[in-house]
Amino acid sequence: MDVTSFSLAGGPHPQRGVGVVAPFDFALDRELWRWVPDDVSLHLTRTPYVPVEVSLDLARLVSEHETLAEAVRALTAAEPEVLAYACTSGSFVGGVAGERAMCEAMTREGEVAAVTTSGALLEALAELDARRIALVTPYTWSVTQALEEYLGEAGVSVVGRAYLGLTRHIWKVPYRDVADMARRAVLRPVDALFISCTNLPTYDVIPQLEAELRVPVLSANQVTMWSALRRLGTRAVGPYQALIDAGARPGAATLAPLDPALGSPAGGIAERAVTEPPAPGMAGPAVVEPRPGGVAEPAVTEPPAPGPPAPAAPPEALPEPPAGPGTTGPTPEGGWT
């Protein structure tokens, strides 16, 4: 029997606490815990349920200061040493000033330091000196565009992106779909890749994508835990992740090949990934279209047609959402037509 983890006289080792406020539909509690060292506990609470799907409206509802104050009050009995708001869209919907105001509201109520996912993202990008990034989101176009505007306000350029158009069940997206979107988002040299949404599973895919793409890969849950634990004077844990381990950053070590299990999608969810136009001379981006039964067909990249390539959009230009006769688009239920 291992007796090193407890004391017969004094009970278990003392724990330090992180109070986490998450949206009502958050489903990845276990993923958050994977970044946390053994001597730290997470105390989670959720915002009240509202019958609204993932959208800018929902982001505003789950980030209202009154809602935050009520959630923080529910956490104070556990005496957390730092507070973390674990929602990307809820913390960028008000811009940089809105994110700072959220931290101030939580600190005012809980009397401890507070961080948000979007604020932690900017902190992590500064740590990596990343100013040109690729972006992956499960969101609709409007929510993805709002994130890009938030990053632009902070001086960060998005030069490649892929998004799914989901309005619900984001936690069900498999790793293979995340990996496929990441590959299609990194069409140009970037300083880092960010995978948005705390409800999107990313823990195991991060080191594999860093090995393949040769850039630091950040995710919403990763940066949230990294930033909160930093304020406790401790470090997040995670295998081969550039943000957590400087030795895992590009050029620091020989990188392993991508795990074959994270290959092209074969039977993912029935949504479509949308990317920006490729650079001249490059193959066009793959598009995942739904097939009968709710399963996406494997993505296929076709070679460019003969003739002079179309001019590429400027690196900072945002793509337009799908439009025009016969094109696909998100339905109110979160699928695609």
Side-chain angles (χ1 to χ4, degrees), residues 282-307:
M282 296 184 65
V287 175
V288 181
E289 296 285 2
R291 67 184 181 192
V295 180
E297 291 284 3
V300 178
T301 302
E302 297 292 344

Side-chain angles (χ1 to χ4, degrees), residues 108-191:
R108 200 163 46 243
E109 190 66 39
E111 299 183 348
V112 293
V115 302
T116 74
T117 299
S118 295
L121 168 60
L122 298 185
E123 185 181 347
L125 292 174
E127 171 76 9
L128 298 172
D129 194 24
R131 289 294 172 218
R132 289 168 53 86
I133 71 168
L135 182 63
V136 164
T137 89
Y139 309 134
T140 60
W141 161 250
S142 61
V143 181
T144 301
Q145 186 179 35
L147 173 54
E148 295 196 27
E149 290 170 354
Y150 169 82
L151 290 165
E153 188 181 350
V156 177
S157 299
V158 176
V159 297
R161 84 265 311 141
Y163 64 98
L164 282 176
L166 295 180
T167 59
R168 59 178 180 170
H169 295 166
I170 289 171
W171 68 89
K172 297 181 180 180
V173 176
Y175 280 152
R176 61 177 170 267
D177 288 21
V178 176
D180 184 62
M181 278 200 298
R183 295 185 188 103
R184 284 178 280 136
V186 183
L187 295 177
R188 297 186 174 98
V190 294
D191 301 322

Side-chain angles (χ1 to χ4, degrees), residues 153-240:
E153 188 181 350
V156 177
S157 299
V158 176
V159 297
R161 84 265 311 141
Y163 64 98
L164 282 176
L166 295 180
T167 59
R168 59 178 180 170
H169 295 166
I170 289 171
W171 68 89
K172 297 181 180 180
V173 176
Y175 280 152
R176 61 177 170 267
D177 288 21
V178 176
D180 184 62
M181 278 200 298
R183 295 185 188 103
R184 284 178 280 136
V186 183
L187 295 177
R188 297 186 174 98
V190 294
D191 301 322
L193 165 70
F194 176 57
I195 304 172
S196 189
C197 190
T198 55
N199 231 1
L200 187 66
T202 58
Y203 185 88
D204 295 304
V205 80
I206 291 173
Q208 298 295 338
L209 285 174
E210 288 190 344
E212 178 184 4
L213 301 176
R214 300 294 202 261
V215 297
V217 176
L218 308 176
S219 79
N221 284 327
Q222 178 206 47
V223 298
T224 305
M225 289 295 96
W226 170 81
S227 179
L229 292 167
R230 238 183 166 193
R231 281 155 178 77
L232 290 183
T234 189
R235 294 178 57 184
V237 296
Y240 207 88

